Amino acid sequence: MAKTNKYALVTGGSRGIGREICLKLGGCGYHVLVNYKSNAAEAEKTLSGIRAAGGDGEALQFDVASGEESTAAIEAWQKAHEGACIEVVVNNAGIRDDVLMMWMEPQQWHSVIGTSLDGFYNVTRPLLKGMLVNRFGRIVNIVSLSGIKGLPGQANYAAAKGGVIAATKALAQEVAKKGVTVNAIAPGFVRTDMTADIDEAELRKQIPAGRFCEPAEVADLAMFLISEQASYITGEVISINGGLYT
């Protein structure tokens, strides 16, 4: 699926799953916009990896939880690249702040919801028009097992990811006739910075596959959904969890 002069935006692209998706997009000929909130050094590492693989891209700093920042950054990029269309968006940015609901402070609720659910709206909405006009687009939302079955201590995270799942299904029906697909990927436990604080050895016992997922495996699934071969798949939530929950 080699492409030239094609643009993709990956939110939270500086590390983990987001970085792996950026690298694979770059390897397939996309000019990759690596969104990050604050860690410029990690974003540059992602860009270096893209260029080492023969691709190219640029860093795009904004907080997806802020509608104002997201709109300003995207519109400024569009103005500077007149005629260009970001045809792929991967809404990957997300944060965890786990705590039982009875002790959850308002900020812990709103920050997690803001990054994943508001972030999906803030980033996707300003990019939709270009996709619809061009009659091609790929929207891939990285959600979570927690958004499907819920996990204790993650009422905020489950609500955020569950909201994105519902929005995925609704938006898919709005834009399918214009050649735009909208799908979600729901990983279980993935070996990234986000899971560095949990007991991997103990949790592996619960996973039929006996191991955590690697970020590159999620990225491979994302790339299939982005490809032409997946043009008839939309509104789906695909789990990748080693059999942990089916």
Side-chain angles (χ1 to χ4, degrees), residues 38-79:
S38 59
N39 199 330
E42 290 299 320
E44 285 300 321
K45 285 183 183 178
T46 299
L47 286 172
S48 295
I50 292 169
R51 290 166 182 151
D56 201 5
E58 61 193 280
L60 198 61
Q61 180 180 19
F62 62 89
D63 181 0
V64 300
S66 167
E68 293 80 5
E69 281 191 37
S70 301
T71 299
I74 291 169
E75 288 184 349
W77 186 90
Q78 290 171 328
K79 185 176 180 180

Side-chain angles (χ1 to χ4, degrees), residues 17-95:
I17 293 171
R19 172 177 286 171
E20 290 297 327
I21 294 173
C22 287
L23 295 177
K24 290 185 183 294
L25 281 164
C28 288
Y30 280 92
H31 183 94
V32 186
L33 282 65
V34 181
N35 160 257
Y36 70 101
K37 179 181 177 180
S38 59
N39 199 330
E42 290 299 320
E44 285 300 321
K45 285 183 183 178
T46 299
L47 286 172
S48 295
I50 292 169
R51 290 166 182 151
D56 201 5
E58 61 193 280
L60 198 61
Q61 180 180 19
F62 62 89
D63 181 0
V64 300
S66 167
E68 293 80 5
E69 281 191 37
S70 301
T71 299
I74 291 169
E75 288 184 349
W77 186 90
Q78 290 171 328
K79 185 176 180 180
H81 299 78
E82 189 173 352
C85 175
I86 297 172
E87 67 175 33
V88 172
V89 58
V90 181
N91 290 298
N92 166 74
I95 60 171

Side-chain angles (χ1 to χ4, degrees), residues 62-126:
F62 62 89
D63 181 0
V64 300
S66 167
E68 293 80 5
E69 281 191 37
S70 301
T71 299
I74 291 169
E75 288 184 349
W77 186 90
Q78 290 171 328
K79 185 176 180 180
H81 299 78
E82 189 173 352
C85 175
I86 297 172
E87 67 175 33
V88 172
V89 58
V90 181
N91 290 298
N92 166 74
I95 60 171
R96 279 177 45 222
D97 195 348
D98 297 354
V99 64
L100 296 177
M101 174 72 87
M102 66 181 295
W103 292 308
M104 187 179 292
E105 296 295 331
Q107 179 57 28
Q108 293 175 293
W109 175 268
H110 291 297
S111 63
V112 173
I113 295 287
T115 300
S116 287
L117 186 54
D118 293 346
F120 160 79
Y121 170 80
N122 293 337
V123 173
T124 305
R125 186 197 60 80

